[in-house]
Amino acid sequence: MKVKNRRIVEAWNKTDPSIEAERRMLDGILADAHRINAANRKEDFMQKQPVYKYRPHRRFAAVVIAALLMLALAGTAFAIYRFCMKDLAGPTSQIGAEEVRTLSLNGLKGSPEYEAAQEWEAHIHAWYAAGENLAAPDLVPDAYSEYNAFSREAKGTLDGILQKYGLKMHAAPVDLSSLDALYSALGVSGFMPAAGSNGEYPVSGRLYEDATFSFNSAAALPSGVDLRYQFYRFAKGSLTRTGFLIADADALDEWTYPTAGGVNVLLAIGANKSILAADLDNGFVFINVLAGTENGNINANSFGAKAITKADLEAFADSFGFPVIDSLAK
Amino acid sequence: MTHSLLRTDKEIVEIYSRHVRTIYRVCIAYMRNPHDTEDAVHDTFMKMITSNTAFESEEHEKAWLIRTAINVCKNALKHWRRKVESMDKMEDLEYPGGQSAETSGLFDEICALPDRYKAVVFLYYYEGYTSAEIAKMLHKPQSTITNHLSEARKSLRKMLGGD
């Protein structure tokens, strides 16, 4: 062999990546692996659901039969099953001696927003249990304070979670005190239902830089019921600290409802509480409705709400402009 | 459909640590600049992560990654309208050990070989595989590999002034 092997080996050895480059590539690979994992878990779930395929070469009779079947099932055929309450299940939580079940508000199980929120809340819980992560006397509130990250360790952990899931942290929010204030800040109006009576509780909300917002208000339903609700719209790609909603998904009657605006939403109704959830392209919507089929809500004297029906909840869903909500940007 | 990500972070890091330098060496001979090389390495490992391939051994794992890296690079070169930067301008190539004029020049010559020869030269001279093993790894007849090696030697000899 006339070309020297040693020289080729030496030449190639000198092209090796630096430690920094190796680390950079590994970070990118792990970040993408997490993203793919989260996306696949969602895709897996979606693919388990019935799929209606277009078959252009079926005989005419088959098409007629299918059309008749669709007409016969009109009430449910469009309610294509997308996800269920179990996909929102959060960790169980100990309240006194009772272990209660919770729902995550941030997104579907497997999404980066859901997984990051779960992980961060687990850290918060552990720190509180250990008496750690307490504010220093000279603490200056910053963006981390919004996430209850006060210690240096907590801030570092939060940064790690954000990096792991490819999410951003919010800047400080703007407080809202009316529907008009929300519309004005976003530059779009009419995507929320007409305001009903909110009893003695003030309308309130918070708006973040990426059109993530929460809004506590009331809606006047066509049936005459004033329904109080807590609305959350989470822009995908950001981590929002919300905690968990105490609710037993198994105790709720759930179904998928195609709204008048053409968006499928998950509705669930229980004795004292109802839920609306919508997984949109750019955001996730979660609405905690403070009313159910029995006595209105947990504290009817405070909120003054009446019992609602499934039809009321569907009318409530129809009163939101979900395509506009999905396209919001501040 | 099964989950595509069957490996834990720890397993990914272990596989990456075992093979990243080999894969980087393969890719840089094709891509010829560190930025595109890093992209190719990234894509190669992502294919492994999403492929669900079960490896019989570390050698099988390595062979699979090398073959995939070659395909990733060839596809990138085929589909991109790439501006291939001159190796003369690659000051930002990260050579921790530094390049002597002799080795730098030789690597330039290897990079200048036709793509079909690069992987063969790397596997034969650097990795120490036999032509039969390379043929199996690249899914090509052994005679083709032998021929590529012969042609590569001729080109290098010519470029290096009969060395």
Side-chain angles (χ1 to χ4, degrees):
Chain A
M1 196 159 54
K2 293 189 177 176
V3 175
K4 293 174 185 171
N5 188 333
R6 179 187 60 79
R7 290 179 59 202
I8 290 181
V9 171
E10 282 177 1
W12 233 304
N13 274 342
K14 299 289 172 60
T15 68
D16 281 352
S18 64
I19 299 295
E20 291 75 24
E22 283 190 25
R23 181 61 191 262
R24 190 166 55 238
M25 288 186 286
L26 178 60
D27 287 347
I29 289 163
L30 288 175
D32 274 5
H34 291 143
R35 271 194 284 276
I36 287 171
N37 190 27
N40 280 352
R41 285 166 68 180
K42 183 176 171 186
E43 189 183 336
D44 287 355
F45 182 82
M46 300 291 278
Q47 292 204 4
K48 287 174 187 165
Q49 312 316 320
V51 175
Y52 299 95
K53 291 183 177 175
Y54 176 57
R55 302 189 185 283
H57 304 301
R58 293 283 188 190
R59 288 180 181 177
F60 178 71
V63 173
V64 171
I65 290 168
L68 289 172
L69 278 171
M70 285 181 72
L71 283 173
L73 298 170
T76 55
F78 292 105
I80 296 170
Y81 190 70
R82 292 296 181 99
F83 60 89
C84 63
M85 296 304 290
K86 283 183 178 166
D87 290 294
L88 298 171
T92 54
S93 182
Q94 198 76 27
I95 296 184
E98 192 185 357
E99 192 171 63
V100 297
R101 298 169 78 174
T102 67
L103 294 175
S104 169
L105 315 182
N106 295 64
L108 296 182
K109 198 177 284 185
S111 68
E113 294 81 8
Y114 174 100
E115 299 295 339
Q118 297 272 331
E119 204 168 315
W120 177 239
E121 291 301 328
H123 279 290
I124 294 267
H125 182 76
W127 284 324
Y128 281 172
E132 294 171 356
N133 185 34
L134 299 174
D138 59 348
L139 172 78
V140 177
D142 58 12
Y144 290 91
S145 309
E146 288 291 324
Y147 293 82
N148 279 22
F150 302 117
S151 69
R152 191 171 293 175
E153 181 199 354
K155 291 178 182 183
T157 303
L158 179 57
D159 283 338
I161 289 173
L162 292 167
Q163 187 179 8
K164 177 178 174 184
Y165 292 99
L167 299 176
K168 292 182 297 184
M169 201 161 81
H170 287 301
V174 174
D175 288 330
L176 305 164
S177 57
S178 70
L179 202 50
D180 284 341
L182 174 68
Y183 288 157
S184 172
L186 290 167
V188 191
S189 60
F191 54 83
M192 301 286 272
S197 168
N198 205 35
E200 61 192 80
Y201 286 84
V203 169
S204 63
R206 310 184 92 190
L207 172 65
Y208 293 89
E209 77 294 338
D210 58 358
T212 289
F213 68 91
S214 61
F215 197 72
N216 299 333
S217 187
L221 299 183
S223 62
V225 172
D226 277 337
L227 183 153
R228 286 197 72 246
Y229 66 94
Q230 298 167 333
F231 182 103
Y232 299 88
R233 188 254 188 204
F234 302 103
K236 291 182 178 175
S238 296
L239 176 62
T240 310
R241 179 149 197 262
T242 58
F244 299 100
L245 180 71
I246 296 172
D248 184 355
D250 291 340
L252 300 170
D253 182 9
E254 64 184 82
W255 72 104
T256 302
Y257 174 69
T259 63
V263 173
N264 285 315
V265 299
L266 178 69
L267 298 178
I269 194 166
N272 301 305
K273 180 190 293 291
S274 301
I275 304 287
L276 184 158
D279 189 26
L280 308 174
D281 288 338
N282 301 307
F284 185 81
V285 170
F286 188 103
I287 308 176
N288 179 32
V289 180
L290 304 175
T293 53
E294 290 181 12
N295 59 352
N297 57 53
I298 296 169
N299 190 340
N301 290 333
S302 298
F303 302 141
K306 297 174 183 173
I308 61 168
T309 64
K310 283 187 169 185
D312 286 329
L313 198 56
E314 291 179 349
F316 176 62
D318 283 333
S319 66
F320 288 91
F322 286 107
V324 176
I325 291 169
D326 192 29
S327 66
L328 288 174
K330 192 183 173 192
Chain B
M1 180 181 164
T2 55
H3 290 301
S4 61
L5 182 53
L6 295 177
R7 294 178 176 85
T8 63
D9 280 6
K10 185 170 177 285
E11 289 167 326
I12 293 171
V13 171
E14 284 172 356
I15 295 172
Y16 176 85
S17 303
R18 277 198 291 273
H19 304 298
V20 62
R21 294 195 172 194
T22 300
I23 300 308
Y24 192 93
R25 288 170 196 137
V26 170
C27 293
I28 199 164
Y30 285 88
M31 309 311 288
R32 302 179 66 176
N33 72 70
H35 305 297
D36 290 342
T37 300
E38 287 187 22
D39 286 346
V41 171
H42 175 276
D43 291 350
T44 302
F45 281 96
M46 288 313 298
K47 281 186 184 295
M48 178 204 72
I49 288 166
T50 55
S51 72
N52 278 348
T53 306
F55 299 113
E56 296 157 9
S57 62
E58 284 187 16
E59 268 310 299
H60 177 214
E61 182 181 87
K62 181 179 178 180
W64 189 94
L65 283 166
I66 289 173
R67 194 170 62 244
T68 301
I70 292 167
N71 290 336
V72 163
C73 293
K74 283 181 175 174
N75 280 338
L77 293 169
K78 191 164 60 182
H79 291 114
W80 298 350
R81 269 190 155 319
R82 288 179 69 251
K83 178 186 174 186
V84 179
E85 299 173 65
S86 163
M87 290 298 287
D88 295 339
K89 297 176 183 172
M90 290 292 102
E91 290 90 358
D92 57 343
L93 260 177
E94 296 166 15
Y95 298 137
Q99 279 277 30
S100 69
E102 181 191 31
T103 55
S104 170
L106 179 55
F107 189 70
D108 287 354
E109 301 306 340
I110 293 168
C111 288
L113 286 172
D115 282 347
R116 61 185 179 279
Y117 299 156
K118 288 174 186 170
V120 178
V121 169
F122 174 74
L123 294 171
Y124 186 84
Y125 288 110
Y126 192 94
E127 292 288 335
Y129 288 106
T130 65
S131 55
E133 288 169 330
I134 297 169
K136 191 177 171 189
M137 187 186 297
L138 301 184
H139 297 164
K140 287 185 175 166
Q142 189 177 345
S143 58
T144 302
I145 301 302
T146 310
N147 187 42
H148 284 179
L149 272 173
S150 173
E151 293 297 319
R153 278 190 203 111
K154 278 183 202 167
S155 297
L156 288 175
R157 193 184 302 128
K158 190 175 168 186
M159 291 174 186
L160 297 172
D163 184 11

